[in-house]
């Protein structure tokens, strides 16, 4: 990295030929500044592609990822409440949070899709999935949140780094557990309804297109 231009104060204080530059952690933080959007974007894209393969659908994974917004809101709120900066360590915690918050949605939506395949209505399938998976989701979330408490209240050497990571994940998981659990079934109902409506339209248009081609072929003869 090129040295910084020598300021008038540094020119008056430092010997001739000396300059200054960032090193170590400060250099890494400065180099990583402004990359939050791209990092989060890549994390969401990869999570979306994995969910597409899991659900074999392009629309249902959107419901799972939209529920992550609740966790991100909780993470940013926790950083604000504890007076911490959104630095590179907090951003690492947010990337981890995307996967952890999506876990709850994956569990509920998977069961909802299974109930739907068995013939239940979309709303009934979402409610049943939320009821069946509520205990498992909350138990795993509470255990993880409890494990983050030592990171949130850390002290001593390196405490700022530990608290930044722990606080972002802690706040996000609290929001995803207490608020996201109610948002996920609604998102599933919305996108499953949209998915099935598009399929019905495609099936109706298929015979119409074939009939149109057949009529056009007869007219050409």
């Amino acid at each position: 990295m090129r040295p910084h231009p020598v300021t008038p104060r540094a020119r008056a204080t430092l010997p001739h030929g000396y300059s200054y530059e960032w090193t170590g952690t400060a250099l890494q933080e400065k180099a990583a500044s402004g990359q939050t959007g791209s990092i989060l974007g890549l994390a969401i894209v990869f999570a979306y592609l994995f969910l597409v393969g899991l659900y074999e659908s392009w629309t249902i994974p959107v419901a799972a990822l939209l529920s992550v917004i609740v966790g991100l809101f909780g993470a940013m709120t926790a950083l604000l409440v504890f007076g911490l900066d959104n630095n590179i360590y907090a951003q690492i915690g947010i990337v981890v949070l995307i996967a952890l918050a999506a876990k709850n949605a994956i569990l509920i939506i998977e069961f909802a899709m299974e109930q739907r395949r068995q013939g239940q209505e979309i709303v009934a399938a979402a409610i049943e999935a939320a009821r069946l998976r509520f205990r498992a989701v909350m138990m795993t979330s509470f255990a993880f949140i409890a494990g983050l408490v030592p990171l949130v209240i850390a002290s001593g050497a390196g405490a700022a780094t530990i608290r930044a990571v722990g606080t972002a994940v802690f706040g996000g998981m609290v929001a995803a557990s207490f608020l996201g659990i109610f948002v996920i079934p609604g998102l599933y109902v919305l996108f499953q309804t949209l998915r099935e409506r598009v399929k019905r339209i495609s099936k109706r248009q298929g015979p119409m297109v074939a009939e149109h081609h057949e009529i056009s072929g007869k007219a050409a003869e």
Side-chain angles (χ1 to χ4, degrees):
M1 184 176 179
R2 296 180 59 185
H4 292 272
V6 180
T7 61
R9 184 175 180 180
R11 187 180 294 111
T13 305
L14 297 175
H16 178 70
Y18 279 77
S19 182
Y20 68 95
E21 63 179 356
W22 299 103
T23 59
T25 304
L27 174 61
Q28 296 176 11
E29 292 185 3
K30 187 174 180 61
S33 62
Q35 298 181 2
T36 305
S38 59
I39 292 172
L40 293 180
L42 287 174
I44 291 174
V45 167
F46 279 107
Y48 173 75
L49 293 177
F50 286 132
L51 292 177
V52 167
L54 174 65
Y55 294 132
E56 298 181 353
S57 170
W58 293 97
T59 54
I60 296 301
V62 180
L65 290 179
L66 284 179
S67 65
V68 176
I69 295 177
V70 179
L72 295 178
F73 173 77
M76 300 307 297
T77 302
L79 292 174
L80 181 64
V81 169
F82 285 91
L84 300 175
D85 296 328
N86 183 20
N87 53 30
I88 186 173
Y89 302 106
Q91 294 167 17
I92 293 172
I94 291 174
V95 171
V96 174
L97 175 65
I98 292 175
L100 294 173
K103 170 187 66 69
N104 297 342
I106 291 171
L107 292 173
I108 294 175
I109 291 176
E110 181 67 24
F111 269 71
M113 294 183 68
E114 181 64 29
Q115 297 294 323
R116 180 59 175 162
R117 283 192 289 266
Q118 294 177 5
Q120 286 199 26
E121 295 293 330
I122 296 177
V123 176
I127 295 174
E128 182 67 11
R131 186 185 67 82
L132 290 174
R133 302 308 297 166
F134 178 81
R135 181 180 299 177
V137 168
M138 298 306 291
M139 287 179 64
T140 55
S141 297
F142 285 156
F144 193 83
I145 291 171
L148 290 170
V149 172
L151 303 183
V152 176
I153 61 176
S155 60
T161 300
I162 299 173
R163 292 183 61 194
V165 176
T167 302
V169 182
F170 177 85
M173 285 303 297
V174 169
S177 301
F178 289 96
L179 299 178
I181 194 71
F182 301 104
V183 174
I184 295 167
L187 290 173
Y188 167 76
V189 171
L190 174 63
F191 283 93
Q192 182 66 23
T193 303
L194 178 63
R195 179 192 184 194
E196 295 186 8
R197 184 173 300 174
V198 170
K199 283 187 175 181
R200 286 196 298 268
I201 294 174
S202 300
K203 288 181 179 179
R204 286 199 301 264
Q205 288 181 347
M208 294 175 60
V209 172
E211 183 180 356
H212 175 73
H213 286 310
E214 183 179 355
I215 295 174
S216 300
K218 290 181 179 179
E221 292 178 359

